[in-house]
């Protein structure tokens, strides 16, 4: 009887040990399964995000084709001697003039017949006396160019030495720009000697302030200056992405930053204009960009 009791006691002990082991294993498996189910969706989501991000990155890779519907900040600009300007549009570069009342009366039909493809017209200068500081030939030049289908842009000659004065000039400029539509950019002419003593940062802040005001008003704006000022007197880190019209009176343009227009001489001769006239090459299809984005009155 005693032996039988001992045997039964051993069987019970073994059974309990076996049962506890099974319970421990089941708990561990349940915990493991829970961890797997928790981690798996996170990994799957992470993987999906990575795939989608990679796909988006591929979709946004730049192409060689220039999109003429780009916004002003994204527009393509080229150096005059850059072979990339061999361009999607075989009409580029285009040749044009810039004029003011100094060019007196202009025969616009003769100008167009001579092969000129665009004109940049001075609207104004300074900011203090709007009536007196509106270019005397502005209306005549607008009407004459429009009458023969000549695409036009505009420029305002600046005397601003502070950002506050730049805003005053911009507001003056905008009132004159509203007189018509402009197929080419509207430029801030920043070249006067009164600005010479300003630091590069001050000069660049004035330019940016003026351009931003024009853009807020719906205009495709840029700035004009001569090569030495661009190269030695401006903080180009502040002007990245801004549309530059550079003056360098030379057979080739030595400007080392992107620009859309190059004024290559002040000593041009064009039928329909008495005396000398400024001549320019344009490397960007501005009319298409401006019209597609409904800027400059379009």
């Amino acid at each position: 009887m005693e032996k039988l009791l001992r045997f039964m006691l051993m069987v019970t002990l073994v059974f309990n040990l076996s049962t506890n082991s099974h319970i421990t294993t089941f708990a561990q498996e349940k915990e493991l399964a829970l961890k797997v189910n928790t981690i798996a969706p996170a990994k799957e989501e992470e993987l999906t995000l990575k795939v989608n991000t990679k796909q988006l990155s591929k979709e946004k890779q730049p192409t060689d084709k220039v999109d003429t519907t780009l916004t002003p900040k994204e527009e393509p600009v080229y150096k005059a001697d850059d072979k990339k300007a061999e361009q999607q549009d075989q009409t580029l570069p285009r040749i044009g003039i810039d004029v003011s009342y100094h060019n007196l009366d202009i025969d616009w039909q003769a100008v167009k017949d001579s092969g000129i493809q665009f004109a940049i017209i001075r609207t104004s200068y300074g900011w203090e006396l709007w009536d007196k500081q509106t270019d005397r030939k502005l209306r005549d030049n607008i009407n004459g160019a429009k009458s023969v289908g000549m695409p036009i842009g505009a420029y305002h000659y600046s005397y601003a030495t502070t950002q506050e004065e730049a805003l005053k000039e911009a507001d003056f400029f905008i009132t004159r720009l509203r007189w018509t539509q402009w197929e080419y950019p509207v430029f801030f002419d920043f070249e006067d000697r009164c600005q010479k003593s300003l630091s590069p940062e001050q000069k660049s802040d004035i330019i940016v302030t003026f351009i931003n005001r024009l853009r807020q008003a719906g205009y495709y704006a840029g700035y004009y200056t001569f090569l030495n000022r661009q190269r030695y007197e401006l903080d180009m880190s502040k002007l990245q992405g801004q549309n530059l019209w550079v003056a360098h009176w030379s057979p080739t343009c030595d400007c080392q930053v992107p620009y859309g227009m190059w004024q290559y001489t002040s000593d041009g001769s064009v039928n329909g204009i008495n005396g000398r006239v400024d001549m320019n090459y344009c490397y960007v299809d501005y009319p298409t960009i401006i019209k597609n984005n409904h800027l400059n009155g379009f």
Side-chain angles (χ1 to χ4, degrees):
M1 186 67 177
E2 183 178 349
K3 288 182 178 182
L4 180 60
L5 289 173
R6 287 180 179 177
F7 175 75
M8 291 177 65
L9 181 60
M10 289 180 65
V11 169
T12 301
L13 181 61
V14 171
F15 177 77
N16 287 341
L17 288 172
S18 175
T19 302
N20 289 339
S21 176
H22 175 70
I23 291 172
T24 303
T25 303
F26 178 77
Q28 289 174 341
E29 290 177 354
K30 185 176 180 181
E31 182 181 359
L32 179 61
L34 181 61
K35 288 181 178 179
V36 169
N37 290 335
T38 303
I39 294 171
K43 286 188 175 181
E44 183 178 353
E45 182 178 357
E46 181 182 0
L47 179 60
T48 302
L49 180 60
K50 285 181 178 179
V51 170
N52 290 341
T53 304
K54 187 175 182 181
Q55 180 65 28
L56 181 61
S57 177
K58 286 183 178 179
E59 289 174 355
K60 290 192 175 182
Q61 290 298 318
T63 64
D64 292 332
K65 184 177 179 181
V66 175
D67 184 356
T68 55
T69 64
L70 298 174
T71 62
K73 291 184 180 179
E74 297 174 311
E75 86 233 17
V77 289
Y78 304 104
K79 294 194 301 182
D81 54 354
D82 191 339
K83 290 186 178 180
K84 290 181 181 179
E86 287 183 67
Q87 62 243 58
Q88 77 286 2
D89 186 341
Q90 295 304 313
T91 66
L92 298 175
R94 295 171 186 163
I95 189 167
I97 56 175
D98 59 274
V99 297
S100 69
Y101 86 94
H102 295 291
N103 300 103
L104 305 177
D105 294 329
I106 296 175
D107 181 343
W108 284 96
Q109 187 61 60
V111 169
K112 184 176 182 180
D113 292 344
S114 72
I116 296 300
Q117 296 169 288
F118 68 92
I120 310 298
I121 297 171
R122 189 179 77 161
T123 62
S124 45
Y125 59 93
W127 73 91
E128 294 172 314
L129 301 170
W130 287 15
D131 288 340
K132 291 185 177 180
Q133 290 173 285
T134 299
D135 190 282
R136 299 177 208 169
K137 289 291 183 179
L138 177 57
R139 289 191 183 276
D140 289 342
N141 285 335
I142 289 174
N143 293 335
K146 291 287 185 181
S147 70
V148 299
M150 175 77 71
I152 58 174
Y155 74 93
H156 173 91
Y157 189 94
S158 175
Y159 294 103
T161 57
T162 67
Q163 293 181 62
E164 291 74 21
E165 290 174 353
L167 289 174
K168 292 177 182 179
E169 290 193 340
D171 290 340
F172 176 25
F173 191 26
I174 290 167
T175 66
R176 299 306 179 249
L177 293 176
R178 287 175 178 160
W179 290 3
T180 191
Q181 296 171 316
W182 308 87
E183 294 85 358
Y184 276 74
V186 295
F187 290 100
F188 184 48
D189 185 347
F190 192 75
E191 60 175 305
D192 198 77
R193 286 179 293 179
C194 70
Q195 298 142 347
K196 175 74 175 176
S197 63
L198 300 175
S199 70
E201 292 77 13
Q202 289 173 318
K203 291 186 182 81
S204 300
D205 285 341
I206 287 171
I207 293 171
V208 171
T209 297
F210 186 98
I211 290 175
N212 284 345
R213 177 76 97 189
L214 268 292
R215 285 181 172 169
Q216 290 167 3
Y219 289 94
Y220 189 106
Y223 69 104
Y224 165 97
T225 197
F226 52 92
L227 181 61
N228 282 345
R229 173 162 286 189
Q230 177 276 311
R231 183 174 288 174
Y232 303 113
E233 298 183 28
L234 298 179
D235 180 353
M236 294 308 295
S237 68
K238 290 178 174 286
L239 296 171
Q240 287 183 2
Q242 303 290 1
N243 185 58
L244 171 62
W245 171 20
V246 65
H248 185 213
W249 301 336
S250 172
T252 59
C253 188
D254 295 333
C255 186
Q256 298 302 306
V257 299
Y259 54 88
M261 283 175 47
W262 166 34
Q263 186 187 80
Y264 63 90
T265 186
S266 63
D267 197 27
S269 178
V270 173
N271 290 341
I273 298 178
N274 294 319
R276 304 185 308 163
V277 64
D278 296 338
M279 305 291 295
N280 303 274
Y281 286 122
C282 180
Y283 299 91
V284 180
D285 185 4
Y286 287 123
T288 297
I289 297 171
I290 288 168
K291 291 177 182 178
N292 284 351
N293 287 281
H294 306 292
L295 301 169
N296 293 13
F298 288 98

